[in-house]
């Protein structure tokens, strides 16, 4: 009873900080929700290889003490691992030629998410994870955030770590941010994270942690540094592989975590994003692959797989694994360096290869484990799902596009989601004017690059991007060119029956086409204008100590 009263007081205190004036009805609703979700769960699993043995041995020495402490908080630790540009066919359990034993084992023990969607590029996926809202809500429809333009995730958006902090969580970001840094207000530690260790931009050298300076005339000759510990540059990490840095920092945070508080560890790896770089020891494991680029890509993946194993082992050794939910996701499909086979298209495209992602959940909190889920899920769903697990509230957020899908994942319940807006990019148009005349502009301008999934149906308009199919083999790439794309700017597929998007049935189901065009139009009416500012010369790192960081 005392524990329940304490939870009620903590909940009311959090709500009062968000809403200074509450109607009694809100208090009644809040208490009802608290009672409904009060019983939190407890976990167990763990295994894998170790890389930083000193830290892991220290964890093992104190395991008895830390295991006892984990029971003092009922809220689960949340570990969210985000791979970068990781393709559908690049994980072992999708019959990849790349071996990923740690990821495979975690997925096999938990729930594989085989009807799970992300956005086709980096920043929009990360923004939707952080906010639970589609990118049309804050003007991020067009492209990724750039280090030379003054833009970022809107400051009036409530982020996931901000909500988790209100629930008593320690919040850590280890890895790639890519949601804005032109002003200090946009930095991770100003958006809800207690600590940040990693880089701010979209990509960089894995060893030197430098990026081309796009401001100067010869960017290949000038490289700016982008690796930070909080707001201080980490100049001593030059030469150390980023995947190893991120794993070691995560293990360090786990080893010294106060077990009286729940932890949110957001671990967005640089891997497997370009440039293709890996230590030779990982590349040499794939000497049987003829293509040098593919060997390196496999090595980058192998290093990431090992790092996930090391972090998982640290959670077990610290006694935290028994109260942890681990989520793994990619941010978008593979570039042409990887493979999304048998799905069509690549990163940046609205074909399934760009927007259907690798994902799984492992946790003893799962009521039904060792299974595959084909429930329709989206990256925006993690926000309300994680907040629910944390015993938090979304009362202070803007209206969400994401759904709480924990029961879907944990128990196999039906997904509350029936629809996904993949995107509407009003700045990218098809130039095929004749096709526009066929469908007209009365409902939705089909020259605009857009896509939507409703039930089993998927509609694409404009130019969705490269629609080829590509399979990586030991002897090289096997490509199948898409046909019948020229002169078209509207496609309809039954994704349930045709996940490879090979048969356009728009001519057979005109009523479905019109219905989905109507949904695109409805979304478009609620979209804020795209915010795509001009390049700002003041962003030149040469003006800021050769560092990538705030300039305004």
């Amino acid at each position: 009873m005392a524990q329940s009263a304490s939870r009620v007081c903590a909940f009311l205190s959090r709500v009062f900080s968000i809403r200074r004036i509450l109607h009694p009805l809100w208090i009644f609703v809040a208490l009802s929700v608290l009672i409904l979700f009060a019983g939190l769960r407890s976990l167990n699993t763990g295994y894998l290889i170790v890389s930083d043995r000193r830290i892991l041995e220290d964890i093992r020495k104190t395991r008895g003490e830390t295991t006892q402490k984990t029971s003092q908080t009922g809220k689960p630790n949340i570990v969210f691992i985000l791979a970068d540009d990781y393709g559908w066919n690049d994980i072992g359990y999708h019959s990849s030629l790349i071996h990923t034993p740690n990821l495979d084992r975690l997925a096999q023990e938990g729930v594989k998410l085989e009807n799970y969607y992300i956005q086709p590029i980096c920043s929009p996926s990360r923004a939707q994870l952080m906010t639970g809202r589609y990118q049309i809500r804050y003007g991020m429809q067009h492209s990724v955030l750039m280090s030379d333009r003054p833009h970022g995730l809107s400051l009036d958006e409530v982020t996931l770590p901000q909500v988790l902090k209100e629930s008593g969580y320690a919040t850590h970001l280890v890895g790639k941010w890519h949601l804005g840094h032109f002003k200090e207000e946009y930095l991770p530690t100003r958006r809800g994270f207690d600590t940040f260790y990693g880089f701010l931009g979209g990509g960089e050298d894995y060893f030197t942690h430098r990026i081309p300076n796009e401001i100067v005339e010869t960017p290949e000759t000038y490289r700016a540094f982008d690796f930070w510990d909080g707001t201080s540059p980490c100049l001593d990490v030059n030469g150390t592989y980023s995947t190893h840095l991120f794993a070691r920092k995560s293990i360090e945070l786990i080893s010294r975590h106060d077990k009286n508080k729940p932890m949110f560890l957001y671990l967005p790896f640089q891997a497997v994003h370009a440039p293709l770089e890996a230590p030779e020891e990982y590349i040499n494991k794939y000497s049987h692959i003829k293509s040098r680029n593919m060997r390196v890509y496999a090595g980058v993946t192998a290093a990431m797989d090992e790092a996930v194993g090391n972090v998982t082992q640290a959670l077990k050794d610290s006694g935290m694994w028994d109260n942890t939910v681990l989520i793994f996701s990619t941010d978008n499909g593979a570039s042409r360096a990887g493979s999304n086979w048998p799905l069509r298209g690549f990163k940046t495209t609205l074909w399934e290869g760009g927007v259907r992602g690798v994902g799984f959940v492992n946790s003893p909190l799962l009521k039904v484990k060792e299974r595959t889920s084909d429930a329709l899920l989206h990256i925006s769903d993690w926000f309300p799902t994680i907040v629910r697990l944390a015993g938090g509230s979304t009362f202070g957020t803007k209206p969400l596009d994401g759904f709480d899908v924990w029961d879907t994942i944990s128990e196999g319940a039906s997904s509350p989601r029936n629809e996904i807006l993949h995107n509407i990019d009003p700045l990218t148009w098809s130039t095929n004017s004749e096709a526009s005349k066929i469908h007209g502009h009365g409902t939705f301008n089909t020259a605009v690059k857009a896509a939507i999934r409703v039930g089993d149906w998927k509609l694409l308009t404009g130019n969705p991007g490269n629609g080829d199919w590509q399979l990586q083999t030991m002897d090289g790439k096997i490509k199948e060119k898409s046909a019948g794309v020229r002169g078209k700017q509207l496609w309809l597929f039954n994704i349930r029956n045709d996940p490879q998007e090979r048969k356009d049935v728009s001519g057979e189901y005109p009523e479905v086409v019109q219905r989905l065009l109507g949904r695109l139009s409805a979304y478009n009416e609620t979209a804020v204008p795209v915010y795509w500012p001009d390049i700002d010369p003041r962003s030149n790192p040469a003006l800021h100590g050769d560092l990538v960081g705030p300039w305004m």
Side-chain angles (χ1 to χ4, degrees):
M1 180 67 71
Q3 185 178 14
S4 298
S6 176
R7 288 180 178 175
V8 169
C9 291
F11 175 80
L12 290 176
S13 174
R14 182 173 61 255
V15 173
F16 272 111
S17 70
I18 300 172
R19 291 283 190 269
R20 294 184 182 276
I21 302 174
L22 288 177
H23 190 283
L25 178 60
W26 281 115
I27 297 177
F28 173 78
V29 172
L31 290 173
S32 300
V33 171
L34 180 63
I35 292 171
L36 182 62
F37 297 126
L40 283 176
R41 356 346 178 155
S42 147
L43 282 114
N44 98 102
T45 298
Y47 39 77
L48 313 173
I49 312 166
V50 289
S51 69
D52 194 320
R53 298 190 180 278
R54 179 185 58 78
I55 296 177
L56 286 166
E57 286 303 321
D58 289 343
I59 294 174
R60 291 190 179 101
K61 289 177 183 178
T62 59
R63 184 176 180 187
E65 176 185 356
T66 56
T67 302
Q68 184 178 10
K69 286 184 178 180
T70 54
S71 63
Q72 295 180 14
T73 173
K75 297 178 179 180
N77 305 300
I78 309 293
V79 177
F80 196 107
I81 301 175
L82 190 68
D84 200 333
D85 293 0
Y86 196 42
W88 184 263
N89 190 235
D90 293 333
I91 195 164
Y93 64 78
H94 281 165
S95 302
S96 174
L97 59 82
I98 304 173
H99 302 297
T100 54
N102 298 320
L103 293 173
D104 289 354
R105 195 183 316 177
L106 285 167
Q108 179 62 35
E109 293 173 351
V111 178
K112 299 175 185 176
L113 309 177
E114 297 293 89
N115 200 11
Y116 168 60
Y117 287 84
I118 66 283
Q119 296 308 113
I121 48 179
C122 300
S123 299
S125 278
R126 295 160 201 272
Q128 296 195 37
L129 168 63
M130 288 290 109
T131 66
R133 288 160 50 81
Y134 290 146
Q135 63 209 68
I136 64 167
R137 311 299 186 196
Y138 34 82
M140 208 180 287
Q141 300 96 306
H142 180 57
S143 184
V144 298
L145 298 180
M146 308 297 289
S147 291
D148 56 2
R149 299 175 189 263
H151 55 173
L153 178 62
S154 178
L155 295 178
D156 62 3
E157 294 290 334
V158 177
T159 67
L160 178 60
Q162 287 172 334
V163 177
L164 292 179
K165 280 176 67 69
E166 292 182 351
S167 293
Y169 275 72
T171 57
H172 306 285
L173 166 53
V174 179
K176 172 177 171 176
W177 174 233
H178 206 192
L179 286 176
H181 60 263
F182 72 101
K183 289 184 177 181
E184 291 184 358
E185 295 91 324
Y186 290 84
L187 297 179
T189 51
R190 301 287 288 272
R191 304 306 299 269
F193 287 102
D194 293 326
T195 67
F196 166 57
Y197 183 83
F199 61 104
L200 296 168
E204 61 183 13
D205 189 281
Y206 281 75
F207 292 95
T208 68
H209 315 294
R210 294 181 177 272
I211 67 169
N213 182 352
E214 299 169 355
I215 297 294
V216 298
E217 294 181 0
T218 54
E220 69 278 2
T221 64
Y222 185 95
R223 304 178 72 83
F225 187 79
D226 183 11
F227 204 98
W228 302 81
D229 187 347
T231 57
S232 300
C234 295
L235 300 176
D236 60 344
V237 299
N238 182 27
T240 306
Y241 193 59
S242 69
T243 302
H244 294 162
L245 288 171
F246 298 148
R248 291 171 186 172
K249 174 57 71 170
S250 298
I251 292 169
E252 176 189 329
L253 289 169
I254 291 167
S255 70
R256 58 183 176 83
H257 177 65
D258 178 1
K259 306 305 187 299
N260 292 306
K261 295 184 68 173
M263 170 190 276
F264 174 54
L265 173 60
Y266 175 41
L267 177 53
F269 281 107
Q270 180 177 358
V272 294
H273 194 285
L276 295 181
E277 297 174 316
E280 286 297 323
E281 63 189 275
Y282 299 99
I283 299 172
N284 292 338
K285 294 178 180 179
Y286 292 91
S287 58
H288 57 284
I289 297 178
K290 292 183 178 181
S291 166
R292 167 68 183 179
N293 283 346
M294 190 58 201
R295 288 199 302 274
V296 177
Y297 187 87
V300 176
T301 304
M304 179 182 68
D305 178 77
E306 180 189 87
V308 172
N310 293 339
V311 171
T312 307
Q313 183 67 49
L315 288 164
K316 179 181 179 182
D317 291 341
S318 71
M320 291 174 61
W321 181 253
D322 287 344
N323 193 32
T324 294
V325 175
L326 184 144
I327 302 166
F328 180 88
S329 171
T330 182
D331 65 340
N332 46 250
S335 67
R336 277 176 274 190
S339 175
N340 299 307
W341 180 268
L343 304 178
R344 183 178 186 176
F346 305 91
K347 170 185 177 178
T348 77
T349 79
L350 291 172
W351 304 107
E352 289 292 282
V355 298
R356 185 182 286 208
V358 173
F360 63 80
V361 177
N362 187 307
S363 171
L365 293 181
L366 296 168
K367 294 184 178 179
V368 184
K369 308 180 185 68
E370 298 185 13
R371 67 183 184 89
T372 297
S373 171
D374 68 349
L376 186 64
L377 306 175
H378 184 251
I379 193 167
S380 63
D381 296 332
W382 295 122
F383 184 101
T385 302
I386 291 173
V387 171
R388 177 251 180 108
L389 284 171
S393 168
T394 59
F395 288 163
T397 70
K398 294 182 178 181
L400 300 179
D401 294 300
F403 293 84
D404 174 2
V405 293
W406 181 247
D407 291 340
T408 302
I409 295 170
S410 176
E411 303 174 18
S414 298
S415 173
R417 176 180 288 282
N418 186 56
E419 181 172 296
I420 295 173
L421 175 65
H422 293 304
N423 195 25
I424 302 172
D425 181 0
L427 299 189
T428 303
W429 285 49
S430 169
T431 58
N432 182 15
S433 60
E434 290 301 315
S436 293
K437 293 178 182 178
I438 295 174
H439 295 285
H441 294 234
T443 305
F444 181 80
N445 184 353
T446 59
V448 171
K449 182 179 180 180
I452 190 170
R453 169 87 181 261
V454 179
D456 294 339
W457 297 106
K458 179 181 177 182
L459 183 79
L460 302 96
T461 65
N463 180 2
N466 187 327
D468 296 345
W469 294 265
Q470 176 175 287
L471 174 65
Q472 298 278 19
T473 72
M474 287 186 291
D475 296 324
K477 299 176 182 177
I478 297 177
K479 293 183 180 180
E480 182 181 347
K481 289 287 186 180
S482 59
V485 175
R486 186 178 298 277
K488 284 179 63 66
Q489 60 183 45
L490 186 143
W491 296 259
L492 178 70
F493 300 99
N494 185 310
I495 294 299
R496 176 72 64 180
N497 298 333
D498 183 20
Q500 298 181 32
E501 297 172 297
R502 292 184 177 272
K503 184 181 179 182
D504 171 26
V505 294
S506 59
E508 301 174 37
Y509 298 95
E511 73 286 353
V512 177
V513 169
Q514 289 302 315
R515 178 161 57 89
L516 269 60
L517 285 174
R519 293 300 301 139
L520 282 175
S521 177
Y523 276 115
N524 202 37
E525 289 177 0
T526 68
V528 304
V530 174
Y531 186 63
W532 187 246
D534 294 334
I535 292 174
D536 187 343
R538 293 174 295 175
S539 66
N540 188 345
L543 304 175
H544 311 284
D546 297 345
L547 299 174
V548 175
W551 71 84
M552 292 178 64

